[in-house]
C-alpha cells in the first residue's frame, strides 16, 4: 500500500515568490493534515480537512497561506508571498477516521528554503 | 492549552542498553498519546498509540506507558541497536481540540 506522497521534496525560492506543495493521502483516508516543522521542533498543525471541508484552520496564516482539498482526496498548500521565516519542513499526514483520534500517517515532507 | 515537553533533547547510549524516553503533558484530558519516530530528512512514523483508557502498549522491543494523573508517558526501548538512532516525538491528543500537540523530540544516538 502506498503511503502519503508529497511533492516536491525540496524547494528553494527567493522571498516574495509564490510556492505550492502537493499531497496525496493514503487511499480511503478521510482526514488530511498539513503541519509545519521548524528545525529541532515538533510539527505544528496548520490545517485539518475532513473530506473536502477545512474543519480547523485556526493556525493557518491566512494573509499569505491558502490550502484546498478538492474532491476530498489530494491537497495543495500555497504560500504567496513567501517570507524568510517560512523556511521549514511542511508535512502532510492522513488518517482513516474523521474524529482525528486515530493513527496519523505522515509523508516525507517538503523542505522549503526561502532566500 | 496543552503543552508537551520531552527531556532530554538528546541522548547517547551504547548499543545493547535498555533506555527510557520521557514525555510530559500539562492537560490530562486526552484521547490518546502517540509516539513517533523521525529519521533525518524523513517524515514521522507512528510507533505506538495509547488510548486514554490504557496504561501501556507494546510493540516488539518498544513499550510505551501512560499515566494521565501525573501527565507523563514513557517509551522504553529494550536492547537498543544502532538502527534505533532517530528522533523520537510524543504527541498528545487533547479532548475537544481534535489535534495532536507534539513535544520537541528527543534525538537518540545508539553507539556501536
Amino acid at each position: 500500500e502506498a503511503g502519503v506522497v508529497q511533492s516536491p521534496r525540496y524547494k528553494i525560492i527567493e522571498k516574495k515568490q509564490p510556492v505550492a506543495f502537493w499531497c496525496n493521502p493514503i487511499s480511503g483516508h478521510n482526514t488530511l493534515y498539513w503541519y509545519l516543522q521548524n528545525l529541532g521542533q515538533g510539527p505544528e498543525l496548520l490545517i485539518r480537512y475532513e473530506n473536502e471541508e477545512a474543519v480547523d484552520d485556526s493556525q493557518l496564516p491566512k494573509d499569505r497561506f491558502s490550502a484546498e482539498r478538492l474532491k476530498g482526496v489530494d491537497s495543495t498548500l500555497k504560500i504567496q508571498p513567501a517570507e524568510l521565516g517560512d523556511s521549514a519542513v511542511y508535512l502532510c499526514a492522513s488518517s482513516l477516521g474523521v474524529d482525528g483520534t486515530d493513527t496519523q500517517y505522515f509523508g516525507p515532507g517538503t523542505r522549503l528554503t526561502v532566500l | 492549552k496543552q503543552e508537551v515537553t520531552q527531556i532530554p533533547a538528546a541522548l547517547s547510549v551504547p548499543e545493547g542498553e535498555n533506555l527510557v524516553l520521557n514525555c510530559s503533558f500539562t492537560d490530562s484530558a486526552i484521547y490518546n498519546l502517540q509516539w513517533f519516530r523521525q529519521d533525518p530528512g524523513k517524515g514521522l512514523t507512528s510507533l505506538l498509540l495509547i488510548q486514554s483508557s490504557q496504561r501501556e502498549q507494546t510493540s516488539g522491543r518498544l513499550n510505551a506507558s501512560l499515566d494521565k494523573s501525573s501527565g507523563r508517558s514513557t517509551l522504553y526501548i529494550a536492547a537498543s541497536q544502532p538502527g534505533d538512532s532517530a528522533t523520537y516525538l510524543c504527541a498528545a491528543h487533547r479532548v475537544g481540540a481534535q489535534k495532536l500537540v507534539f513535544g520537541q523530540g528527543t534525538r537518540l544516538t545508539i553507539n556501536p
Side-chain angles (χ1 to χ4, degrees):
Chain A
E1 177 182 299
V4 177
V5 179
Q6 291 188 247
S7 68
R9 291 295 313 279
Y10 305 91
K11 189 73 176 179
I12 300 174
I13 61 172
E14 294 189 347
K15 63 180 180 180
K16 300 185 181 180
Q17 294 300 305
V19 65
F21 315 125
W22 177 81
C23 172
N24 188 257
I26 293 173
S27 178
H29 279 198
N30 298 299
T31 305
L32 183 147
Y33 313 77
W34 282 104
Y35 288 89
L36 177 153
Q37 185 176 26
N38 288 304
L39 187 64
Q41 300 296 315
E44 299 175 26
L45 182 70
L46 289 172
I47 188 168
R48 177 170 71 94
Y49 283 92
E50 288 180 9
N51 299 306
E52 65 274 11
E53 181 183 0
V55 296
D56 185 354
D57 62 357
S58 57
Q59 301 302 309
L60 190 72
K62 298 180 184 64
D63 57 335
R64 298 184 299 107
F65 286 64
S66 64
E68 61 182 10
R69 190 186 185 197
L70 300 177
K71 301 181 181 179
V73 182
D74 54 353
S75 175
T76 303
L77 178 68
K78 298 178 181 178
I79 308 175
Q80 183 171 11
E83 297 179 351
L84 295 177
D86 296 332
S87 294
V89 176
Y90 292 82
L91 294 165
C92 179
S94 68
S95 63
L96 182 61
V98 295
D99 63 0
T101 61
D102 53 349
T103 299
Q104 295 184 24
Y105 297 86
F106 283 77
T110 296
R111 182 176 298 276
L112 173 67
T113 302
V114 182
L115 303 176
Chain B
K1 177 184 176 184
Q2 178 71 276
E3 294 182 1
V4 180
T5 304
Q6 292 183 252
I7 296 174
L11 180 66
S12 181
V13 301
E15 180 179 2
E17 280 200 3
N18 303 325
L19 60 99
V20 174
L21 304 180
N22 296 298
C23 172
S24 61
F25 47 95
T26 55
D27 188 344
S28 62
I30 59 172
Y31 284 122
N32 59 54
L33 188 132
Q34 300 182 39
W35 283 92
F36 294 86
R37 168 184 174 141
Q38 187 171 32
D39 293 283
K42 303 288 182 62
L44 281 68
T45 300
S46 178
L47 297 173
L48 291 164
L49 183 154
I50 312 175
Q51 300 291 356
S52 63
S53 59
Q54 298 174 319
R55 293 300 299 267
E56 64 179 85
Q57 279 285 343
T58 298
S59 176
R61 295 182 294 108
L62 305 180
N63 176 276
S65 69
L66 175 64
D67 184 345
K68 287 199 306 177
S69 62
S70 66
R72 293 185 61 188
S73 177
T74 61
L75 179 66
Y76 174 83
I77 302 177
S80 59
Q81 303 171 358
D84 295 329
S85 297
T87 296
Y88 291 80
L89 298 108
C90 67
H93 193 128
R94 186 165 66 92
V95 172
Q98 302 294 14
K99 68 178 182 182
L100 291 176
V101 177
F102 283 84
Q104 67 273 46
T106 294
R107 188 173 70 253
L108 176 65
T109 302
I110 306 300
N111 302 303

